[in-house]
Amino acid sequence: MDTDLKIKHKLNAAADFKIQGKYLHAIQLCEQLLNEYPNNPDIHFELAELYELSGNLSSSFHLLETYLNNNPEENDVRLFLGQLLLKNQL
């Protein structure tokens, strides 16, 4: 299976779990994906949002900050982190 298609398929499955309120299942799926594709920003976005929804803000921030330390040119991730900080008034 094509890598992009595999990532999209698993992210869609995680989104389905998220809609059902099964955050732990979605997090586990995204963490598996992240281990396979650590430089994919879409996986980071989804996992950060899932951490936030599950009440684990520190993991969400840490995930995004670590990604930005390794990929400082990723302005979309920087913007997402800023929005997350504002939304949570931190």
Side-chain angles (χ1 to χ4, degrees):
M1 181 183 281
D2 176 63
T3 299
D4 289 337
L5 187 59
K6 180 180 178 181
I7 291 170
K8 184 176 180 176
H9 175 73
K10 287 193 175 184
L11 285 176
N12 285 340
D16 288 342
F17 282 131
K18 181 173 62 175
I19 290 168
Q20 297 170 28
K22 297 179 180 178
Y23 301 135
L24 183 58
H25 292 297
I27 287 170
Q28 289 172 338
L29 203 62
C30 286
E31 285 177 343
Q32 289 173 350
L33 265 178
L34 191 61
N35 285 332
E36 290 181 60
Y37 308 102
N39 295 316
N40 184 294
D42 294 330
I43 299 168
H44 284 81
F45 287 136
E46 186 65 28
L47 187 53
E49 183 177 18
L50 287 164
Y51 283 148
E52 178 193 14
L53 289 170
S54 68
N56 193 348
L57 291 175
S58 63
S59 290
S60 183
F61 297 137
H62 178 72
L63 176 72
L64 295 173
E65 288 173 343
T66 301
Y67 182 79
L68 284 171
N69 285 338
N70 295 322
N71 302 281
E73 72 287 350
E74 288 285 350
N75 290 325
D76 289 339
V77 177
R78 189 172 312 286
L79 180 62
F80 187 81
L81 176 59
Q83 290 172 336
L84 189 65
L85 290 166
L86 284 172
K87 184 166 66 171
N88 291 285
Q89 301 178 355
L90 299 171

